[in-house]
mmCIF file with all atom_site columns, all heavy atoms in Angstrom:
data_model
loop_
_atom_site.group_PDB
_atom_site.id
_atom_site.type_symbol
_atom_site.label_atom_id
_atom_site.label_alt_id
_atom_site.label_comp_id
_atom_site.label_asym_id
_atom_site.label_entity_id
_atom_site.label_seq_id
_atom_site.pdbx_PDB_ins_code
_atom_site.Cartn_x
_atom_site.Cartn_y
_atom_site.Cartn_z
_atom_site.occupancy
_atom_site.B_iso_or_equiv
_atom_site.pdbx_formal_charge
_atom_site.auth_seq_id
_atom_site.auth_comp_id
_atom_site.auth_asym_id
_atom_site.auth_atom_id
_atom_site.pdbx_PDB_model_num
ATOM 1   N N   . LYS A 1 4  ? -0.522 8.785  -1.113  1.00 87.00 ? 4  LYS A N   1
ATOM 2   C CA  . LYS A 1 4  ? 0.016  10.084 -0.767  1.00 87.00 ? 4  LYS A CA  1
ATOM 3   C C   . LYS A 1 4  ? -1.137 11.025 -0.758  1.00 87.00 ? 4  LYS A C   1
ATOM 4   O O   . LYS A 1 4  ? -1.867 11.106 -1.723  1.00 87.00 ? 4  LYS A O   1
ATOM 5   C CB  . LYS A 1 4  ? 1.058  10.542 -1.793  1.00 87.00 ? 4  LYS A CB  1
ATOM 6   C CG  . LYS A 1 4  ? 1.910  11.666 -1.354  1.00 87.00 ? 4  LYS A CG  1
ATOM 7   C CD  . LYS A 1 4  ? 3.015  12.038 -2.405  1.00 87.00 ? 4  LYS A CD  1
ATOM 8   C CE  . LYS A 1 4  ? 4.025  10.982 -2.439  1.00 87.00 ? 4  LYS A CE  1
ATOM 9   N NZ  . LYS A 1 4  ? 5.119  11.344 -3.253  1.00 87.00 ? 4  LYS A NZ  1
ATOM 10  N N   . ILE A 1 12 ? 1.877  17.071 3.488   1.00 91.00 ? 12 ILE A N   1
ATOM 11  C CA  . ILE A 1 12 ? 1.604  15.768 2.781   1.00 91.00 ? 12 ILE A CA  1
ATOM 12  C C   . ILE A 1 12 ? 1.664  14.694 3.704   1.00 91.00 ? 12 ILE A C   1
ATOM 13  O O   . ILE A 1 12 ? 2.576  14.609 4.610   1.00 91.00 ? 12 ILE A O   1
ATOM 14  C CB  . ILE A 1 12 ? 2.644  15.638 1.568   1.00 91.00 ? 12 ILE A CB  1
ATOM 15  C CG1 . ILE A 1 12 ? 2.469  16.785 0.556   1.00 91.00 ? 12 ILE A CG1 1
ATOM 16  C CG2 . ILE A 1 12 ? 2.410  14.277 0.960   1.00 91.00 ? 12 ILE A CG2 1
ATOM 17  C CD1 . ILE A 1 12 ? 3.519  16.812 -0.444  1.00 91.00 ? 12 ILE A CD1 1
ATOM 18  N N   . ARG A 1 34 ? 14.245 9.438  -1.800  1.00 95.00 ? 34 ARG A N   1
ATOM 19  C CA  . ARG A 1 34 ? 14.905 9.795  -3.187  1.00 95.00 ? 34 ARG A CA  1
ATOM 20  C C   . ARG A 1 34 ? 13.904 10.398 -4.111  1.00 95.00 ? 34 ARG A C   1
ATOM 21  O O   . ARG A 1 34 ? 14.148 11.300 -4.888  1.00 95.00 ? 34 ARG A O   1
ATOM 22  C CB  . ARG A 1 34 ? 15.629 8.568  -3.667  1.00 95.00 ? 34 ARG A CB  1
ATOM 23  C CG  . ARG A 1 34 ? 16.693 8.837  -4.636  1.00 95.00 ? 34 ARG A CG  1
ATOM 24  C CD  . ARG A 1 34 ? 17.528 7.730  -5.107  1.00 95.00 ? 34 ARG A CD  1
ATOM 25  N NE  . ARG A 1 34 ? 17.142 6.356  -4.753  1.00 95.00 ? 34 ARG A NE  1
ATOM 26  C CZ  . ARG A 1 34 ? 17.554 5.676  -3.658  1.00 95.00 ? 34 ARG A CZ  1
ATOM 27  N NH1 . ARG A 1 34 ? 18.404 6.185  -2.826  1.00 95.00 ? 34 ARG A NH1 1
ATOM 28  N NH2 . ARG A 1 34 ? 17.147 4.463  -3.400  1.00 95.00 ? 34 ARG A NH2 1
ATOM 29  N N   . ALA A 1 35 ? 12.705 9.863  -4.102  1.00 93.00 ? 35 ALA A N   1
ATOM 30  C CA  . ALA A 1 35 ? 11.632 10.330 -4.965  1.00 93.00 ? 35 ALA A CA  1
ATOM 31  C C   . ALA A 1 35 ? 11.194 11.758 -4.652  1.00 93.00 ? 35 ALA A C   1
ATOM 32  O O   . ALA A 1 35 ? 10.676 12.488 -5.518  1.00 93.00 ? 35 ALA A O   1
ATOM 33  C CB  . ALA A 1 35 ? 10.407 9.427  -4.979  1.00 93.00 ? 35 ALA A CB  1
ATOM 34  N N   . LEU A 1 36 ? 11.395 12.201 -3.429  1.00 93.00 ? 36 LEU A N   1
ATOM 35  C CA  . LEU A 1 36 ? 10.980 13.517 -3.023  1.00 93.00 ? 36 LEU A CA  1
ATOM 36  C C   . LEU A 1 36 ? 11.963 14.581 -3.474  1.00 93.00 ? 36 LEU A C   1
ATOM 37  O O   . LEU A 1 36 ? 11.540 15.685 -3.756  1.00 93.00 ? 36 LEU A O   1
ATOM 38  C CB  . LEU A 1 36 ? 10.836 13.546 -1.461  1.00 93.00 ? 36 LEU A CB  1
ATOM 39  C CG  . LEU A 1 36 ? 9.758  12.758 -0.828  1.00 93.00 ? 36 LEU A CG  1
ATOM 40  C CD1 . LEU A 1 36 ? 9.798  12.861 0.673   1.00 93.00 ? 36 LEU A CD1 1
ATOM 41  C CD2 . LEU A 1 36 ? 8.382  13.142 -1.352  1.00 93.00 ? 36 LEU A CD2 1
ATOM 42  N N   . ASN A 1 37 ? 13.206 14.245 -3.585  1.00 89.00 ? 37 ASN A N   1
ATOM 43  C CA  . ASN A 1 37 ? 14.231 15.202 -3.925  1.00 89.00 ? 37 ASN A CA  1
ATOM 44  C C   . ASN A 1 37 ? 13.927 16.045 -5.189  1.00 89.00 ? 37 ASN A C   1
ATOM 45  O O   . ASN A 1 37 ? 13.902 17.296 -5.214  1.00 89.00 ? 37 ASN A O   1
ATOM 46  C CB  . ASN A 1 37 ? 15.608 14.627 -3.960  1.00 89.00 ? 37 ASN A CB  1
ATOM 47  C CG  . ASN A 1 37 ? 16.072 14.268 -2.562  1.00 89.00 ? 37 ASN A CG  1
ATOM 48  O OD1 . ASN A 1 37 ? 15.746 14.969 -1.595  1.00 89.00 ? 37 ASN A OD1 1
ATOM 49  N ND2 . ASN A 1 37 ? 16.883 13.232 -2.377  1.00 89.00 ? 37 ASN A ND2 1
ATOM 50  N N   . PRO A 1 38 ? 13.655 15.386 -6.333  1.00 93.00 ? 38 PRO A N   1
ATOM 51  C CA  . PRO A 1 38 ? 13.288 16.153 -7.537  1.00 93.00 ? 38 PRO A CA  1
ATOM 52  C C   . PRO A 1 38 ? 11.998 16.956 -7.386  1.00 93.00 ? 38 PRO A C   1
ATOM 53  O O   . PRO A 1 38 ? 11.903 18.090 -7.905  1.00 93.00 ? 38 PRO A O   1
ATOM 54  C CB  . PRO A 1 38 ? 13.194 15.117 -8.668  1.00 93.00 ? 38 PRO A CB  1
ATOM 55  C CG  . PRO A 1 38 ? 13.177 13.773 -8.009  1.00 93.00 ? 38 PRO A CG  1
ATOM 56  C CD  . PRO A 1 38 ? 13.730 13.956 -6.627  1.00 93.00 ? 38 PRO A CD  1
ATOM 57  N N   . LEU A 1 39 ? 11.025 16.373 -6.714  1.00 91.00 ? 39 LEU A N   1
ATOM 58  C CA  . LEU A 1 39 ? 9.780  17.078 -6.442  1.00 91.00 ? 39 LEU A CA  1
ATOM 59  C C   . LEU A 1 39 ? 10.009 18.358 -5.694  1.00 91.00 ? 39 LEU A C   1
ATOM 60  O O   . LEU A 1 39 ? 9.477  19.435 -5.971  1.00 91.00 ? 39 LEU A O   1
ATOM 61  C CB  . LEU A 1 39 ? 8.746  16.153 -5.721  1.00 91.00 ? 39 LEU A CB  1
ATOM 62  C CG  . LEU A 1 39 ? 8.211  14.975 -6.523  1.00 91.00 ? 39 LEU A CG  1
ATOM 63  C CD1 . LEU A 1 39 ? 7.353  14.134 -5.569  1.00 91.00 ? 39 LEU A CD1 1
ATOM 64  C CD2 . LEU A 1 39 ? 7.433  15.440 -7.715  1.00 91.00 ? 39 LEU A CD2 1
ATOM 65  N N   . TRP A 1 40 ? 10.790 18.260 -4.615  1.00 93.00 ? 40 TRP A N   1
ATOM 66  C CA  . TRP A 1 40 ? 11.067 19.409 -3.755  1.00 93.00 ? 40 TRP A CA  1
ATOM 67  C C   . TRP A 1 40 ? 11.915 20.394 -4.464  1.00 93.00 ? 40 TRP A C   1
ATOM 68  O O   . TRP A 1 40 ? 11.817 21.618 -4.318  1.00 93.00 ? 40 TRP A O   1
ATOM 69  C CB  . TRP A 1 40 ? 11.652 19.012 -2.457  1.00 93.00 ? 40 TRP A CB  1
ATOM 70  C CG  . TRP A 1 40 ? 10.697 18.221 -1.606  1.00 93.00 ? 40 TRP A CG  1
ATOM 71  C CD1 . TRP A 1 40 ? 9.461  17.815 -1.904  1.00 93.00 ? 40 TRP A CD1 1
ATOM 72  C CD2 . TRP A 1 40 ? 10.893 17.880 -0.240  1.00 93.00 ? 40 TRP A CD2 1
ATOM 73  N NE1 . TRP A 1 40 ? 8.863  17.213 -0.802  1.00 93.00 ? 40 TRP A NE1 1
ATOM 74  C CE2 . TRP A 1 40 ? 9.727  17.197 0.232   1.00 93.00 ? 40 TRP A CE2 1
ATOM 75  C CE3 . TRP A 1 40 ? 11.968 18.067 0.663   1.00 93.00 ? 40 TRP A CE3 1
ATOM 76  C CZ2 . TRP A 1 40 ? 9.609  16.672 1.510   1.00 93.00 ? 40 TRP A CZ2 1
ATOM 77  C CZ3 . TRP A 1 40 ? 11.854 17.549 1.988   1.00 93.00 ? 40 TRP A CZ3 1
ATOM 78  C CH2 . TRP A 1 40 ? 10.680 16.858 2.378   1.00 93.00 ? 40 TRP A CH2 1
ATOM 79  N N   . THR A 1 41 ? 12.828 19.960 -5.347  1.00 92.00 ? 41 THR A N   1
ATOM 80  C CA  . THR A 1 41 ? 13.684 20.916 -6.065  1.00 92.00 ? 41 THR A CA  1
ATOM 81  C C   . THR A 1 41 ? 12.827 21.670 -7.097  1.00 92.00 ? 41 THR A C   1
ATOM 82  O O   . THR A 1 41 ? 12.978 22.851 -7.280  1.00 92.00 ? 41 THR A O   1
ATOM 83  C CB  . THR A 1 41 ? 14.845 20.107 -6.829  1.00 92.00 ? 41 THR A CB  1
ATOM 84  O OG1 . THR A 1 41 ? 15.587 19.418 -5.875  1.00 92.00 ? 41 THR A OG1 1
ATOM 85  C CG2 . THR A 1 41 ? 15.667 21.044 -7.699  1.00 92.00 ? 41 THR A CG2 1
ATOM 86  N N   . ASN A 1 42 ? 11.929 20.983 -7.778  1.00 93.00 ? 42 ASN A N   1
ATOM 87  C CA  . ASN A 1 42 ? 11.109 21.620 -8.842  1.00 93.00 ? 42 ASN A CA  1
ATOM 88  C C   . ASN A 1 42 ? 9.938  22.398 -8.277  1.00 93.00 ? 42 ASN A C   1
ATOM 89  O O   . ASN A 1 42 ? 9.601  23.422 -8.828  1.00 93.00 ? 42 ASN A O   1
ATOM 90  C CB  . ASN A 1 42 ? 10.593 20.548 -9.824  1.00 93.00 ? 42 ASN A CB  1
ATOM 91  C CG  . ASN A 1 42 ? 11.763 19.919 -10.586 1.00 93.00 ? 42 ASN A CG  1
ATOM 92  O OD1 . ASN A 1 42 ? 12.817 20.518 -10.790 1.00 93.00 ? 42 ASN A OD1 1
ATOM 93  N ND2 . ASN A 1 42 ? 11.541 18.666 -10.995 1.00 93.00 ? 42 ASN A ND2 1
ATOM 94  N N   . ASN A 1 43 ? 9.314  21.949 -7.272  1.00 91.00 ? 43 ASN A N   1
ATOM 95  C CA  . ASN A 1 43 ? 8.065  22.471 -6.755  1.00 91.00 ? 43 ASN A CA  1
ATOM 96  C C   . ASN A 1 43 ? 8.252  23.203 -5.380  1.00 91.00 ? 43 ASN A C   1
ATOM 97  O O   . ASN A 1 43 ? 7.246  23.758 -4.923  1.00 91.00 ? 43 ASN A O   1
ATOM 98  C CB  . ASN A 1 43 ? 6.994  21.433 -6.622  1.00 91.00 ? 43 ASN A CB  1
ATOM 99  C CG  . ASN A 1 43 ? 6.729  20.751 -7.896  1.00 91.00 ? 43 ASN A CG  1
ATOM 100 O OD1 . ASN A 1 43 ? 6.799  21.358 -8.970  1.00 91.00 ? 43 ASN A OD1 1
ATOM 101 N ND2 . ASN A 1 43 ? 6.518  19.440 -7.834  1.00 91.00 ? 43 ASN A ND2 1
ATOM 102 N N   . GLY A 1 44 ? 9.359  23.153 -4.779  1.00 94.00 ? 44 GLY A N   1
ATOM 103 C CA  . GLY A 1 44 ? 9.545  23.658 -3.429  1.00 94.00 ? 44 GLY A CA  1
ATOM 104 C C   . GLY A 1 44 ? 9.146  22.676 -2.411  1.00 94.00 ? 44 GLY A C   1
ATOM 105 O O   . GLY A 1 44 ? 8.405  21.745 -2.686  1.00 94.00 ? 44 GLY A O   1
ATOM 106 N N   . LYS A 1 45 ? 9.671  22.860 -1.204  1.00 95.00 ? 45 LYS A N   1
ATOM 107 C CA  . LYS A 1 45 ? 9.367  21.981 -0.114  1.00 95.00 ? 45 LYS A CA  1
ATOM 108 C C   . LYS A 1 45 ? 8.031  22.265 0.545   1.00 95.00 ? 45 LYS A C   1
ATOM 109 O O   . LYS A 1 45 ? 7.696  23.433 0.684   1.00 95.00 ? 45 LYS A O   1
ATOM 110 C CB  . LYS A 1 45 ? 10.486 22.034 0.925   1.00 95.00 ? 45 LYS A CB  1
ATOM 111 C CG  . LYS A 1 45 ? 11.842 21.595 0.487   1.00 95.00 ? 45 LYS A CG  1
ATOM 112 C CD  . LYS A 1 45 ? 12.831 21.664 1.595   1.00 95.00 ? 45 LYS A CD  1
ATOM 113 C CE  . LYS A 1 45 ? 14.243 21.167 1.152   1.00 95.00 ? 45 LYS A CE  1
ATOM 114 N NZ  . LYS A 1 45 ? 15.203 21.229 2.262   1.00 95.00 ? 45 LYS A NZ  1
ATOM 115 N N   . TYR A 1 49 ? 5.662  16.969 6.235   1.00 94.00 ? 49 TYR A N   1
ATOM 116 C CA  . TYR A 1 49 ? 5.556  15.761 5.598   1.00 94.00 ? 49 TYR A CA  1
ATOM 117 C C   . TYR A 1 49 ? 5.492  14.617 6.632   1.00 94.00 ? 49 TYR A C   1
ATOM 118 O O   . TYR A 1 49 ? 6.272  14.647 7.549   1.00 94.00 ? 49 TYR A O   1
ATOM 119 C CB  . TYR A 1 49 ? 6.828  15.541 4.691   1.00 94.00 ? 49 TYR A CB  1
ATOM 120 C CG  . TYR A 1 49 ? 6.507  14.577 3.540   1.00 94.00 ? 49 TYR A CG  1
ATOM 121 C CD1 . TYR A 1 49 ? 6.224  15.135 2.321   1.00 94.00 ? 49 TYR A CD1 1
ATOM 122 C CD2 . TYR A 1 49 ? 6.557  13.224 3.691   1.00 94.00 ? 49 TYR A CD2 1
ATOM 123 C CE1 . TYR A 1 49 ? 5.917  14.294 1.225   1.00 94.00 ? 49 TYR A CE1 1
ATOM 124 C CE2 . TYR A 1 49 ? 6.279  12.371 2.611   1.00 94.00 ? 49 TYR A CE2 1
ATOM 125 C CZ  . TYR A 1 49 ? 5.977  12.905 1.413   1.00 94.00 ? 49 TYR A CZ  1
ATOM 126 O OH  . TYR A 1 49 ? 5.716  12.097 0.332   1.00 94.00 ? 49 TYR A OH  1
#
Side-chain angles (χ1 to χ4, degrees):
K4 195 179 288 188
I12 298 170
R34 202 171 9 264
L36 293 176
N37 289 328
L39 292 173
W40 289 10
T41 299
N42 295 332
N43 303 323
K45 293 181 178 181
Y49 206 95

